[in-house]
Amino acid sequence: MGTHKKEANRRERQGKTASGSMGNLRTKGENFYRDQKKVKTLSMYNSGKPQRNAEGKITKPGAYQSREKGGVGGSARVEPNRKWFNNTRVIAQDSLAQFREAVTQKTNDPYAFLMKSNKLPMSLIRDDATQTKNGLKQHEAKVAVETRPFGETFGPKAKRKRVKLDVGSVEEMVGHSGKMLEEYKDRQEQSQLLSGNGYGGDDVDGSEATRNDFDMGAESTIAREPIFSKGQSRRIWNEAYKVIDSSDVICFALDARDPEGTRCQHLEKFLREEAPHKHIVFLLNKCDLVPTKVAATWVRHLSTIYPTLAFHASLTNAFGKGTLIQLLRQFSSLHSNRKQLSVGLLGYPNVGKSSIINTLRKKKVCTVAPVPGETKVWQYITLMRRIFLIDAPGVVPSSVKDTDTERLLRGSVRVEAVNNPAQYISAALSRCQTRHVERTYDVKGYESATDFLERLARKMGKLMKGGEPDMDTVAKMVLNDFLRGKIPWFIPPPRFNTDSESTTSPGEGLQEMQASEELPGEGALVEEGMNEEDGDQVMDDFEFSDEEDDESDH
């Protein structure tokens, strides 16, 4: 439709049509094509220009101009205004120091949240104190110039800094390099021996292989089962980061038996550095598998880092559900300007993330299983009108300190997929007390892990051809019972490790906790009236039922 038809329709709607050629006449002052915003913009452009006569002299000055003597066009200046200085704030040094201390204290408090931080000078708190001066970040070059004389830094008399070396002569440097080469050869040799490709025996031509024939460029492939690399793929990490980006509150699910071992330190560091505005909460799940005092001590210890709640995921007999919902409602009221609040659950595999969501919803909305890797992709679940939950697959952060045994005992690996499970029984028994293992399986007086497996296999009738005990089948059964809570075990809290240099095993730590006279007895999770005689009964009274349903509760 052309412009003429639009005008005709407009005049017809407004009743301004006229007979004959009078319909094309325009009324004075009537605006046909410009709205109010366009008119103001054009007026701004036209009002700032001065009016000049034929000789070029200004007859009417433009905005903020005057016709003072000193030239054809006069001198132009900007009109001063006190409003320029309204936003300037001056603060004394002592007041600034008090402000830094107060805000730093509130920022480091895990149970306090700083509102409207974008309107506060947070750079005064977050910057490193060694690189700041009165709240201003100092450049390294400026610091170097201020601390060193100009003549010694620049010019012909500049002094070069001597390189710091651990040696004092060329001979010592050569010897140090040779020592480093020997250490490197030892490491490469050990790696190739573990992979089965090391030197040894005879070569193809019959000559004996020596250390000088060691191939420095050979690829070192340490024998490692591929099952231990599960949970570290790029797809899993992409799912985890999608949950982080979409969530306002991040809940890390931890196993109450080993909270420090199931913490995702990599993700916590990422959130502190890249997303400090997101809230972090620790959920100490499976607290029913440890004594009450141990769970209370772990909650008290982790609460110094982030808000921590004890939780027991169960559809029939849950614990901590009301506290968690109340906390989520507080976060929702804290961000009342948002339409919704997303809560993401992250953590190791088989720590009970999906079970926590089912507990909050009082029905099975997420598939759960007592084995890791059940949840494959992230999914949204509606908890309330403004609160949504996000379930994510379990991630296993790669760490040099973590061994395959620790990953298996944390439940990150499916026991059925391990080739030689009998080799991990010794580590599992070291975390348990002997009397608990004997009471669970009714096997008395075993001397080693191998002896225990042989006796248990003959007792349960797990025998192979020729009457040999089936060690792998029995080992898988014991590891499943260990992970699903049939055998009592837990890692002692840091408070009970009185000597930092002592190398006591977790099993010895359990005995020390039983022998301790006083245990932390404050808080809602701690039982009242514990005395010295009841100290030895902490683990005795803590028994597990063989008929307990492991699939839905944990």
Side-chain angles (χ1 to χ4, degrees):
M1 182 181 294
T3 306
H4 177 72
K5 291 183 179 181
K6 290 182 180 179
E7 274 309 307
N9 294 335
R10 184 183 67 82
R11 288 179 173 274
E12 185 177 356
R13 286 196 309 269
Q14 297 179 358
K16 297 181 180 181
T17 57
S19 60
S21 62
M22 298 299 292
N24 295 331
L25 294 180
R26 297 183 181 180
T27 307
K28 184 178 180 181
E30 183 181 1
N31 187 3
F32 289 92
Y33 307 107
R34 296 173 183 171
D35 54 0
Q36 191 68 18
K37 184 177 180 181
K38 186 65 174 180
V39 171
K40 286 184 178 181
T41 305
L42 295 177
S43 300
M44 179 187 65
Y45 290 150
N46 296 331
S47 61
K49 297 180 180 180
Q51 296 180 5
R52 302 175 183 269
N53 56 11
E55 297 178 358
K57 295 181 180 181
I58 296 178
T59 58
K60 182 179 180 181
Y64 307 114
Q65 286 189 353
S66 62
R67 291 180 294 178
E68 296 181 357
K69 296 181 180 180
V72 177
S75 60
R77 65 183 183 90
V78 180
E79 181 183 6
N81 195 338
R82 290 185 61 87
K83 292 183 179 180
W84 296 345
F85 307 98
N86 284 350
N87 295 330
T88 304
R89 297 180 183 179
V90 181
I91 186 173
Q93 290 296 326
D94 53 349
S95 301
L96 178 61
Q98 294 177 1
F99 170 76
R100 289 173 59 90
E101 293 177 0
V103 178
T104 304
Q105 182 179 3
K106 290 297 182 182
T107 304
N108 297 331
D109 187 7
Y111 286 89
F113 179 70
L114 189 61
M115 299 291 294
K116 299 180 181 180
S117 59
N118 56 345
K119 295 185 178 181
L120 296 176
M122 298 303 297
S123 60
L124 301 180
I125 297 99
R126 293 174 180 171
D127 288 346
D128 189 4
T130 58
Q131 298 181 357
T132 56
K133 184 178 180 181
N134 296 330
L136 299 178
K137 191 172 183 179
Q138 302 292 318
H139 197 273
E140 295 181 358
K142 182 179 180 181
V143 175
V145 171
E146 290 180 351
T147 56
R148 301 174 189 170
F150 183 84
E152 296 181 0
T153 308
F154 304 99
K157 295 184 180 180
K159 296 180 180 179
R160 297 181 59 187
K161 292 184 64 176
R162 177 176 295 180
V163 181
K164 295 182 181 180
L165 299 175
D166 297 335
V167 296
S169 62
V170 179
E171 291 78 8
E172 294 181 2
M173 182 182 293
V174 174
H176 183 65
S177 301
K179 183 179 179 181
M180 292 177 62
L181 179 61
E182 290 294 329
E183 293 178 355
Y184 176 74
K185 286 184 177 181
D186 291 338
R187 291 195 301 268
Q188 291 292 100
E189 175 187 352
Q190 184 179 6
S191 300
Q192 290 199 1
L193 286 176
L194 290 176
S195 62
N197 299 328
Y199 69 88
D202 297 337
D203 291 341
V204 178
D205 56 354
S207 60
E208 184 179 356
T210 61
R211 184 180 178 84
N212 296 330
D213 298 333
F214 179 67
D215 186 7
M216 298 296 297
E219 182 180 0
S220 175
T221 56
I222 301 178
R224 188 168 184 262
E225 297 183 35
I227 188 62
F228 290 101
S229 300
K230 298 295 183 180
Q232 303 177 8
S233 62
R234 178 172 295 182
R235 185 192 69 83
I236 296 294
W237 281 105
N238 288 340
E239 297 288 330
Y241 282 114
K242 283 193 294 186
V243 173
I244 291 177
D245 295 339
S246 304
S247 303
D248 302 314
V249 180
I250 305 295
C251 293
F252 285 102
L254 308 179
D255 194 334
R257 296 171 293 182
D258 187 11
E260 287 293 340
T262 52
R263 283 181 59 184
C264 299
Q265 303 281 355
H266 173 73
L267 293 180
E268 294 177 19
K269 181 181 178 182
F270 174 80
L271 289 172
R272 284 195 304 267
E273 296 177 354
E274 302 297 335
H277 59 281
K278 295 182 182 293
H279 306 279
I280 299 178
V281 178
F282 284 157
L283 291 180
L284 206 64
N285 195 22
K286 304 182 183 181
C287 65
D288 59 313
L289 300 182
V290 297
T292 306
K293 295 182 181 295
V294 177
T297 308
W298 272 117
V299 169
R300 194 174 295 112
H301 170 69
L302 295 175
S303 295
T304 58
I305 306 173
Y306 292 112
T308 307
L309 300 177
F311 200 87
H312 168 43
S314 175
L315 295 178
T316 57
N317 188 19
F319 178 80
K321 175 183 175 181
T323 307
L324 179 57
I325 292 178
Q326 183 180 4
L327 179 62
L328 296 181
R329 285 179 175 173
Q330 291 180 4
F331 284 133
S332 178
S333 61
L334 194 65
H335 302 283
S336 57
N337 56 339
R338 301 181 182 178
K339 293 184 178 180
Q340 66 181 24
L341 183 75
S342 299
V343 182
L345 280 86
L346 296 174
Y348 269 72
N350 201 27
V351 293
K353 298 181 293 297
S354 301
S355 299
I356 293 175
I357 296 178
N358 292 340
T359 303
L360 295 178
R361 286 297 310 272
K362 292 185 179 180
K363 61 181 180 179
K364 187 177 180 180
V365 294
C366 299
T367 57
V368 294
V371 292
E374 182 67 22
T375 304
K376 300 295 188 300
V377 294
W378 70 319
Q379 52 184 338
Y380 261 89
I381 294 94
T382 303
L383 179 62
M384 301 177 186
R385 183 172 56 88
R386 295 186 64 250
I387 301 178
F388 295 86
L389 303 176
I390 307 178
D391 190 15
V395 293
V396 182
S398 59
S399 176
V400 181
K401 299 180 181 179
D402 294 342
T403 60
D404 295 343
T405 303
E406 294 178 352
R407 292 178 180 176
L408 178 64
L409 297 183
R410 289 172 187 166
S412 303
V413 179
R414 296 199 178 192
V415 179
E416 291 77 9
V418 179
N419 292 332
N420 187 14
Q423 60 180 336
Y424 307 106
I425 296 298
S426 177
L429 295 179
S430 64
R431 297 193 179 189
C432 308
Q433 292 189 11
T434 306
R435 56 194 182 95
H436 291 155
V437 178
E438 293 178 351
R439 187 182 306 171
T440 302
Y441 296 103
D442 196 16
V443 176
K444 308 290 184 179
Y446 61 89
E447 298 179 355
S448 62
T450 305
D451 185 21
F452 168 73
L453 291 178
E454 290 180 356
R455 294 189 180 187
L456 185 61
R458 297 186 183 279
K459 180 176 180 295
M460 302 179 66
K462 302 294 182 181
L463 302 177
M464 297 187 299
K465 189 175 182 179
E468 294 294 330
D470 192 356
M471 306 285 284
D472 291 343
T473 302
V474 178
K476 291 179 181 180
M477 296 174 58
V478 174
L479 290 176
N480 284 327
D481 294 340
F482 177 85
L483 295 176
R484 299 178 186 182
K486 189 176 181 179
I487 306 176
W489 71 274
F490 61 88
I491 301 298
R495 182 170 179 175
F496 295 98
N497 297 335
T498 56
D499 189 3
S500 59
E501 297 181 358
S502 63
T503 57
T504 58
S505 62
E508 297 175 357
L510 301 182
Q511 298 175 0
E512 293 177 2
M513 291 186 64
Q514 295 180 20
S516 61
E517 181 176 357
E518 292 185 0
L519 294 176
E522 300 177 359
L525 296 177
V526 182
E527 299 175 355
E528 300 290 344
M530 290 290 294
N531 52 27
E532 183 178 1
E533 296 179 357
D534 297 335
D536 295 335
Q537 302 295 328
V538 173
M539 294 296 293
D540 291 339
D541 298 340
F542 186 68
E543 298 299 334
F544 298 90
S545 176
D546 297 343
E547 300 176 358
E548 188 176 4
D549 187 11
D550 296 322
E551 296 186 4
S552 61
D553 293 352
H554 312 300

